[in-house]
Amino acid sequence: MSGFISKLTCMKCGRDYQPEQAETYCEACGFHEGILDVKYDYDAVGKVFNPATLAQNSDRSMWRYLPLLPVRNPELIPHLQVGWTPLYAAPRLAEELGIAHCWVKDEGRNPTASFKDRASAMGVVKALEQRAGRITCASTGNAASSLAGFAAAVGLPATIFVPQRAPEAKVAQLLVYGAQVFSVQGTYDQAWELCMQASAEFGWYNRNCAINPYLIEGKKTVSLELVEQFRNLCTKLPDWVAVSVGDGCTLGGVWKGLWEMQRLGFIPRAPKILGVQAEGCKPFWHAWKHQGILEPCEANTVADSIAVGHPRNFGKGMRAVTESGGAFITVTDEEILASINVLARKAGVFGEPAGVAGVAGVRQARKDGIIAAHESVAILITGNGLKDIQSAIRAAGRPISIPPDVEAVRKALQA
Ligand SMILES: *Cc1c(COP(=O)(O)O)cnc(C)c1O
Ligand SMILES: [Zn+2]
């Protein structure tokens, strides 16, 4: 399976590594910039991976794409079902947003209720392949609860670092799955640095998506699915794919999957990518507007999953938007909260703030003329709404409190 990997290439200096040689980052460039990209022998992949072989494949999970995944030993794949999440046509949402067609892909349907499961599933396979004794990550919340779930599924101990402000539901998930949890008195960026130090110090397997090149390979499966799902609908791919951006791993994965499907001849041309950031934390947007230069910034947004002031996968994230001919856009917290209701009411899908930021981003991009009225968009809903109930209540308010009395109902109806 990982027989198809030809090499790992450093995003910064271009140096090549053999798969056995490098497990994490380019030693010459260090982990801040020396992020590796997994390369495959696509001609060889194409012989076993094409529309005909996929049509024969009954696996309805991310593992149906095994020839394009870095798995040496498929027996180590965890039993939880990840991927093959539903893609819904959302015509009322399209009308609301002023675009021709809209689809939403509900990633909240994954085992721990976020998109992060695609990466965690890959992370535990790689950790088991290396016979790691413990796995670790730092996370705004979802990567943590996801890793905790997958570590539990395969019986691997996990140590997790989350910032103090991680929403309670996510922290509860971590503890329920039995992970050792450090709530760091600081920001996500500080939790990330601490996790890096601790994993070096104590020899734990590091799931941090930016420095572990294999995890983005899990994330890219969302796009492999998108291509297949649109194919099954006999519909051409939309003009845009919209997704929220924190560290940039999701963005990078989304683009890699689309790029590969183009390379393998499934699609003539990949969609443009819309990267959505919060107004209170927009380092990608800023760099995109200013010659691609990254300036780490404060992280102030209700969308905790994208409250990342120092994005750790900057290169892959930027490449996604520039190579696809897409754009970055920013949205306010008010627009994000409003989008929780809009998505739920127009498409029946309940997302957390970062999960619905893509919806807000499409509306803004339409206003700014980045997306045209005749264009179509697929929006990735990256996390389930139950992850962050406080934000949902802020968005939707409280119920009407009444005594158990029909007259009270009548009065309330008239009010
Ligand atoms: C992690 C996350 C993102 C952003 O992914 P990055 O790889 O950090 O850019 C978006 N939405 C949700 C719900 C997430 O958990
Ligand atoms: Zn390098």
Side-chain angles (χ1 to χ4, degrees), residues 58-202:
S58 61
D59 185 346
R60 290 288 180 270
S61 78
M62 65 181 267
W63 305 109
R64 64 191 272 104
Y65 306 110
L66 217 43
L68 277 177
L69 293 173
V71 175
R72 267 201 293 271
N73 183 357
E75 283 171 20
L76 298 176
I77 289 173
H79 62 270
L80 299 176
Q81 196 223 305
V82 196
W84 204 258
T85 55
L87 176 72
Y88 302 123
R92 284 187 293 135
L93 183 60
E95 194 182 328
E96 169 78 23
L97 298 175
I99 54 177
H101 298 283
C102 184
W103 290 268
V104 296
K105 188 158 169 66
D106 185 7
E107 287 294 308
R109 288 280 293 270
N110 281 304
T112 77
S114 88
F115 178 77
K116 295 293 194 295
D117 287 345
R118 295 179 186 272
S120 297
M122 183 59 70
V124 295
V125 170
K126 299 312 283 181
L128 292 174
E129 282 181 356
Q130 288 185 32
R131 302 180 188 285
R134 182 170 286 270
I135 191 164
T136 189
C137 79
S139 159
T140 54
N142 282 334
S145 44
S146 172
L147 179 62
F150 280 83
V154 301
L156 188 65
T159 297
I160 285 160
F161 298 83
V162 287
Q164 225 166 6
R165 58 165 294 184
E168 245 183 328
K170 298 181 185 180
V171 178
Q173 266 187 309
L174 288 175
L175 297 166
V176 164
Y177 285 125
Q180 179 180 55
V181 182
F182 291 110
S183 174
V184 180
Q185 297 154 16
T187 62
Y188 166 62
D189 297 301
Q190 291 169 310
W192 197 90
E193 295 287 352
L194 181 58
C195 174
M196 290 299 291
Q197 285 170 15
S199 79
E201 182 81 20
F202 306 112

Side-chain angles (χ1 to χ4, degrees), residues 10-15 17 26-30 33-34 36:
C10 173
M11 293 281 295
K12 169 92 175 157
C13 72
R15 191 169 156 196
Y17 291 84
C26 172
E27 275 120 55
C29 300
E33 293 184 298
L36 300 177

